[in-house]
Amino acid sequence: SNVYNEARGEFEFAPGPVFANVVLADEINRAPPKTQAALLEAMGERQVTVDGQTHDLPEPFTVIATQNPVEQEGTFGLPEAQRDRFILKTSIGYPDAEGERTLLDRRADRTDRMPSVEPVLPGSGVSELQQVPETVWVEPALRNYIVELGRQTRADERVEVGVSPRGTQRLFEAARAAATMAGRGYVVPDDIKRLAVPVFAHRLVLRTDASVRRTTPEAVIREVLERVAVPAVEPESDRVPRADGDRS
């Protein structure tokens, strides 16, 4: 917001907590619609507009949000456009026995001095790492596969709003990232199948009758994966890098 500076006799822009490289929106569904609308601009445009003036957000910029799936009183549902901005949604669940014991140990020793948090990588290094998946090759047949998965969600009679073209792009990007983390320079069908549910499910809006029958978006995506044939791709040894950096 703009804050009045008495010494200068003018308003000055005061950046809020959204001006960070990593923004954690804890229990985002408890934020009022006005706040969610402001966050939508930040996520979609990487900028904030205050009193008609636009301010760019720092790079890299990442939003991580949490919400309690059980308690709904006093919460606001995220609009479809905002959910579409999140690349994926997953459930943390309860910790295992070892993790729960660790929580108790930390609780017992919380008066002890804890180690400080130190950066492990500068922001410029993160930006460089984000460019690595851009070099990962995705076969044309797999690109068609991703598109068909998205289109099948729109054709499903249980779905009111299917996966948008933005959603298919996010699955494409997530598959590339998965291949990078696996040490591969190419995407395989399993990368796409493994990520389809966390990338697609939160983007679906089911019809009322489907919700009454307790159909879940996750179940719809899994059935779509079963319906759409997985394309055959050529072995890794047959991929020869081209002179322009592409692969064939």
Side-chain angles (χ1 to χ4, degrees), residues 23-242:
V23 176
L24 172 61
D26 194 22
E27 297 200 35
I28 189 174
N29 53 335
R30 292 193 176 277
K34 184 178 180 180
T35 301
Q36 293 185 10
L39 187 58
L40 177 60
E41 180 192 9
M43 295 172 64
E45 307 298 333
R46 306 297 175 92
Q47 64 184 29
V48 171
T49 302
V50 178
D51 294 340
Q53 185 175 0
T54 299
H55 304 270
D56 293 331
L57 293 170
E59 289 290 344
F61 179 72
T62 300
V63 176
I64 303 173
T66 69
Q67 62 182 52
N68 191 327
V70 179
E71 186 180 7
Q72 300 299 326
E73 184 177 354
T75 64
F76 302 87
L78 272 63
E80 288 83 0
Q82 187 174 3
R83 294 203 305 267
D84 208 18
R85 260 63 178 188
F86 287 99
I87 190 170
L88 57 83
K89 177 182 178 181
T90 187
S91 176
I92 298 177
Y94 291 112
D96 57 18
E98 182 180 354
E100 202 159 1
R101 170 57 191 272
T102 300
L103 292 176
L104 287 181
D105 292 342
R106 290 180 178 176
R107 171 61 183 83
D109 302 330
R110 70 179 183 178
T111 56
D112 294 345
R113 184 178 179 181
M114 299 296 292
S116 60
V117 178
E118 300 292 340
V120 296
L121 196 66
S124 59
V126 176
S127 298
E128 292 176 6
L129 288 176
Q130 288 178 330
Q131 296 303 314
V132 176
E134 297 297 323
T135 64
V136 173
W137 172 246
V138 184
E139 292 280 356
L142 291 181
R143 301 182 193 187
N144 292 337
Y145 179 55
I146 293 173
V147 170
E148 185 60 23
L149 290 175
R151 294 180 66 86
Q152 283 294 319
T153 66
R154 302 172 213 156
D156 195 292
E157 61 182 9
R158 297 165 295 180
V159 177
E160 181 72 28
V161 179
V163 173
S164 68
R166 179 182 285 109
T168 56
Q169 293 179 61
R170 298 297 90 85
L171 181 56
F172 178 83
E173 295 167 356
R176 277 178 144 187
T180 300
M181 295 180 68
R184 285 185 272 103
Y186 57 93
V187 169
V188 297
D190 283 347
D191 294 328
I192 299 170
K193 295 175 65 176
R194 179 164 57 88
L195 290 165
V197 171
V199 173
F200 277 177
H202 67 284
R203 305 174 194 273
L204 297 188
V205 177
L206 301 183
R207 297 184 185 275
T208 302
D209 56 342
S211 299
V212 170
R213 295 195 300 268
R214 297 190 176 182
T215 301
T216 64
E218 291 79 5
V220 172
I221 300 301
R222 291 189 182 97
E223 290 183 24
V224 167
L225 287 170
E226 293 178 359
R227 289 201 305 265
V228 180
V230 180
V233 295
E234 60 188 13
E236 177 188 359
S237 58
D238 293 338
R239 294 189 186 90
V240 179
R242 295 178 181 173

Side-chain angles (χ1 to χ4, degrees), residues 6-17:
E6 293 185 2
R8 295 186 177 183
E10 60 184 17
F11 283 92
E12 294 181 348
F13 176 70

